[in-house]
């Protein structure tokens, strides 16, 4: 699919109320996308993890066995199959086996709490749970989860669960191929739940296929790609931007169970990695903790990132160390099935403050609080539309009404789009600080300070003030005992307007609080403001 013809677009009617631009040529389903790769090169490597190497033929065969064994137990198309596993071949095989059956896959982060897991399994009425053996203690009993009929454990024996190997047995009748509609849900991903219960985001075959095509087109991906997965496979970035995208183009997914900078670079060298998608902190850790001279990384040419700003200093250092690496910023959310914008290749240094341009089939409007579109360059809430945008939440009509309008998802992010189409994300709407009538975007302040030596991580929140309305409270985790509040304020004064300089600074001894998907829980930080004793004015 390297020529331009497959990327022709047309308008189509989907989800009962949306007219969206779509790629005219696309596979009929996620399974069809994977099976196309199997038919093209069955003996090419498909999966590599912990020394085990599987070809497309072998992965396809095992996925068929899993689907057949599930069907033998009464699991059917449309049933929910939850996956609670670390990055592993078993995760991917279970994912593909569920798709082969026509079931809905529900990936869950292994850091999820027992109560959080129980809520997700109950809310989606999961019929099957496949989990790592070490996660077994998190699973509630049948009295709490009456719909959960089957459990399978990976790695060891767990009471109440069959071994994962039972799903790989041959002998079950071969199943006919499922025939899902494009608007049917294929994957159900629960949002992080920083404020209240997580919401189940319905990702359809249409949503997912357009994200894969957006990545293929924007990154110029080919069939010989080898991607190293280090973000969680259960996250939208891991499952969409890496696993399914690489299968879509016929590439190979190499998995690392958890990120370690030295082991990451050693694996990238050994496996001749060409592509990956990580958060900026992982690139920073590679620069801080690894000796690039030890490794041959000449094959690595695409480095996707998102979730946080990439400091310009990091971009410059990576360019020095890895001159062949093209950094690609992408912005999106679970509700947008990963990318809503992608920075064009080669523009990371020239547009370091931008998350890129809207993807081919997408659309972004910048709206004010009265629902009116803002002019180019002016800030407002980003509303996102397109075939990659979820049709809504699982059994949550109230959230659908609150967060979707006229086919657009209301992101809650404050940003702008300039006259040339470059999108900038300034802050989360709820995290913006209003200091005496001036809007202070916490993401700008945090992004600046992440480039300062001694700052491991930081977060800015609003601190109520009777005179100014709100002041700026900064929380900092540092690895330099000599770093002071005065130094931080002076650094901010060199680069920011005076009203953006933090009023109060707390140094924390523990990491910032985060949810299961790694997002900073600013609500917990705000709770500290009532009794903080170490703030520096």
């Amino acid at each position: 699919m390297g020529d331009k013809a497959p990327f022709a677009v047309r308008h189509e009617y989907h989800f009962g109320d949306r007219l969206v631009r779509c790629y005219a040529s696309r596979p009929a389903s996620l399974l069809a996308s994977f099976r196309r790769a199997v038919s093209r090169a069955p003996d090419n490597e498909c999966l590599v993890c912990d020394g085990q190497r599987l070809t497309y033929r072998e992965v396809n065969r095992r996925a068929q066995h899993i689907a057949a064994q599930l069907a033998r137990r009464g699991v059917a198309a449309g049933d929910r199959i939850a996956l609670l596993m670390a990055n592993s071949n078993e995760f991917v095989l279970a994912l593909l086996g569920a798709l082969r059956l026509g079931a809905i896959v529900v990936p869950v982060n292994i850091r999820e709490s027992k109560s959080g897991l129980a809520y997700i399994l109950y809310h989606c009425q999961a019929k099957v749970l496949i989990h790592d053996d070490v996660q077994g203690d998190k699973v509630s009993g049948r009295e709490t989860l009456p719909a959960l009929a089957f459990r399978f454990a990976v790695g060891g024996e767990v009471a109440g669960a069959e071994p994962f190997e039972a799903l790989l047995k041959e002998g079950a009748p071969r199943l006919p191929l499922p025939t899902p509609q494009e608007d049917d849900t294929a994957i159900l991903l629960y949002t992080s739940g920083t404020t209240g219960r997580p919401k189940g985001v319905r990702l359809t075959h249409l949503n997912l296929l357009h994200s894969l095509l957006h990545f293929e087109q924007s990154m110029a991906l080919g069939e010989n790609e080898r991607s190293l997965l280090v973000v969680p496979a259960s996250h939208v970035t891991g499952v969409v931007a890496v696993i399914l995208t690489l299968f879509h183009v016929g590439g190979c997914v190499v998995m690392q169970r958890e990120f370690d900078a030295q082991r990451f670079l050693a694996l990238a060298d050994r496996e001749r990695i060409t592509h990956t998608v990580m958060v900026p902190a992982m690139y920073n850790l590679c620069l801080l903790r690894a000796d690039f001279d030890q490794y041959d990384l000449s094959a690595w040419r695409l480095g996707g990132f998102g979730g946080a700003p990439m400091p310009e200093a990091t971009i410059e250092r990576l360019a020095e160390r890895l001159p062949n690496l093209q950094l690609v910023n992408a912005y999106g959310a679970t509700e947008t099935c990963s990318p809503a914008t992608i920075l064009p290749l080669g523009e990371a240094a020239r547009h370091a403050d931008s998350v890129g341009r809207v993807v081919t089939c997408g659309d972004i409007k910048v709206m004010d609080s009265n629902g009116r579109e803002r002019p180019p360059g002016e800030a407002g809430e980003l509303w996102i539309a397109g075939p990659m945008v979820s049709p809504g939440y699982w059994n949550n009509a109230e959230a659908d009404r609150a967060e979707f309008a006229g086919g657009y998802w209301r992101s809650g992010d404050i940003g702008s789009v300039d006259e040339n189409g470059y999108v900038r994300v300034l802050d989360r709407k709820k995290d913006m600080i209003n200091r005496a009538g001036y809007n202070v975007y916490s993401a700008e302040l945090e992004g600046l300070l992440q480039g300062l030596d001694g700052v491991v991580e930081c977060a800015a929140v609003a601190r109520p003030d009777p005179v100014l309305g709100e002041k700026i409270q900064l929380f900092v985790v540092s690895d330099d005992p000599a770093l002071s509040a005065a130094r931080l304020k002076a650094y901010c004064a060199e680069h920011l307007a005076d009203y953006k300089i933090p009023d109060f600074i707390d140094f924390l001894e523990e990491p910032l609080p985060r949810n299961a998907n790694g997002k900073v829980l600013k609500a917990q930080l705000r709770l500290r403001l009532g009794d903080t004793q170490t703030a520096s004015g």
Side-chain angles (χ1 to χ4, degrees):
M1 298 184 70
D3 57 3
K4 294 183 178 179
F7 298 117
V9 300
R10 67 188 178 201
H11 281 90
E12 296 181 12
Y13 184 63
H14 286 279
F15 307 132
D17 64 350
R18 299 186 192 176
L19 187 67
V20 291
R21 284 192 300 272
C22 294
Y23 286 111
S25 176
R26 58 183 185 266
S29 67
L30 281 182
L31 183 63
S33 169
F34 174 73
R35 286 174 59 83
R36 182 183 63 182
V38 175
S39 64
R40 285 179 173 176
D43 296 319
N44 281 7
E45 274 192 345
C46 177
L47 283 177
V48 176
C49 185
D50 294 339
Q52 184 183 29
R53 298 177 182 274
L54 298 175
T55 66
Y56 271 89
R57 188 196 309 276
E58 180 60 19
V59 169
N60 184 56
R61 187 179 69 84
R62 295 190 187 191
Q64 289 179 352
H65 291 331
I66 291 171
Q69 289 293 344
L70 289 170
R72 170 183 270 182
R73 291 164 172 78
V75 185
D79 286 339
R80 273 71 69 200
I81 298 176
L83 310 181
L84 184 67
M85 290 182 274
N87 293 359
S88 61
N89 285 345
E90 288 83 2
F91 178 97
V92 179
L93 292 172
L95 168 74
L96 292 170
L99 293 174
R100 177 64 178 81
L101 179 61
I104 297 173
V105 188
V106 188
V108 182
N109 195 302
I110 58 172
R111 295 176 60 190
E112 188 58 77
S113 65
K114 180 173 183 175
S115 62
L117 173 65
Y119 173 80
I120 290 170
L121 295 177
Y122 181 81
H123 185 258
C124 74
Q125 293 292 284
K127 191 169 185 176
V128 178
L129 173 64
I130 305 174
H131 60 84
D132 289 333
D133 55 354
V134 295
Q135 299 288 331
D137 291 342
K138 290 183 180 179
V139 185
S140 301
R142 289 294 297 273
E143 67 281 359
T144 305
L145 301 170
L148 188 62
F150 304 100
R151 287 173 53 193
F152 299 89
V154 177
E157 293 185 5
V158 174
E162 296 182 65
F164 180 79
E165 288 73 19
L167 291 174
L168 299 175
K169 291 181 178 179
E170 301 185 34
R174 185 181 177 91
L175 297 177
L177 289 173
T179 56
Q181 300 298 305
E182 283 190 312
D183 290 359
D184 290 347
T185 301
I187 295 178
L188 186 58
L189 277 176
Y190 278 78
T191 56
S192 306
T194 57
T195 55
R197 291 290 195 184
K199 300 184 291 290
V201 182
R202 295 188 288 130
L203 300 181
T204 70
H205 292 272
L206 184 83
N207 296 150
L208 291 152
L209 288 166
H210 276 83
S211 286
L212 312 187
L213 285 159
H214 281 144
F215 276 124
E216 179 189 9
Q217 181 184 24
S218 300
M219 290 187 167
L221 299 176
E223 61 184 11
N224 295 318
E225 305 297 346
R226 297 179 66 83
S227 187
L228 181 46
L229 177 69
V230 289
V231 298
S234 57
H235 189 269
V236 68
T237 301
V239 71
V240 178
V242 179
I243 295 172
L244 293 175
T245 294
L246 267 288
F247 291 168
H248 174 73
V249 299
C252 176
V253 177
V254 180
M255 282 177 285
Q256 188 175 8
R257 289 185 179 269
E258 55 187 24
F259 180 78
D260 174 85
Q262 289 279 13
R263 288 192 290 114
F264 168 83
L265 293 179
L267 197 55
D269 174 356
R270 187 166 64 250
E271 295 293 337
R272 305 302 294 160
I273 293 301
T274 66
H275 166 278
T276 193
V277 182
M278 303 192 293
V279 296
M282 292 176 174
Y283 289 97
N284 277 322
L285 287 170
C286 287
L287 289 167
L288 289 170
R289 298 180 179 176
D291 182 0
F292 282 76
D293 295 333
Q294 294 182 27
Y295 309 106
D296 177 6
L297 303 172
S298 57
W300 189 15
R301 74 178 202 287
L302 292 166
F305 68 93
M310 178 82 84
E312 291 190 42
T314 302
I315 294 174
E316 293 170 0
R317 289 198 294 268
L318 285 169
E320 293 173 4
R321 294 286 192 172
L322 301 170
N324 294 329
L325 180 65
Q326 295 194 75
L327 292 173
V328 184
N329 196 354
Y331 160 72
T334 306
E335 286 86 348
T336 68
C337 198
S338 201
T341 70
I342 299 178
L343 194 65
L345 293 177
E347 296 192 3
R350 286 188 291 125
H351 294 284
D353 63 337
S354 171
V355 294
R357 298 166 64 93
V358 181
V359 292
T360 297
C361 295
D363 186 35
I364 290 183
K365 304 294 185 190
V366 181
M367 309 295 286
D368 68 15
S369 57
N370 295 315
R372 300 186 180 113
E373 188 174 7
R374 303 285 287 164
E378 295 194 15
E381 184 180 8
L382 301 178
W383 290 23
I384 305 170
M388 71 289 179
V389 174
S390 167
Y393 299 106
W394 185 266
N395 291 339
N396 197 335
E398 181 181 355
D400 287 345
R401 288 190 294 271
E403 299 197 23
F404 291 87
Y408 285 79
W409 175 61
R410 304 173 63 169
S411 71
D413 289 329
I414 301 298
S416 64
V417 182
D418 68 19
E419 293 181 347
N420 296 313
Y422 287 91
V423 180
R424 289 165 179 81
V425 179
L426 304 171
D427 210 348
R428 289 292 295 167
K429 190 175 181 179
K430 64 179 183 294
D431 292 335
M432 187 176 70
I433 303 166
N434 188 324
R435 190 182 190 279
Y438 290 96
N439 290 337
V440 178
Y441 300 112
S442 61
E444 178 186 16
L445 179 58
E446 294 157 1
L448 171 70
L449 292 176
Q450 290 289 6
L452 180 63
D453 289 342
V455 175
V456 176
E457 57 180 354
C458 62
V461 300
R463 179 175 177 136
D465 182 80
V467 177
L468 299 181
E470 293 178 339
K471 286 188 175 181
I472 304 169
Q473 169 75 55
L474 183 69
F475 294 95
V476 180
V477 178
S478 173
D479 60 2
D480 181 1
L483 186 65
S484 65
R487 171 74 182 105
L488 288 167
K489 290 187 177 185
Y491 186 75
C492 290
E494 294 173 16
H495 297 88
L496 299 173
D498 57 1
Y499 66 86
K500 299 180 181 179
I501 299 172
D503 299 285
F504 303 92
I505 299 176
D506 283 8
F507 288 89
L508 303 181
E509 295 184 359
E510 69 277 7
L512 295 176
R514 297 177 184 272
N515 65 18
N517 281 334
K519 291 184 180 178
V520 175
L521 294 170
K522 290 195 172 183
Q524 289 191 17
L525 292 175
R526 293 186 189 100
L527 291 176
R528 294 171 175 258
L529 299 181
D531 57 1
T532 181
Q533 301 296 318
T534 59
S536 171

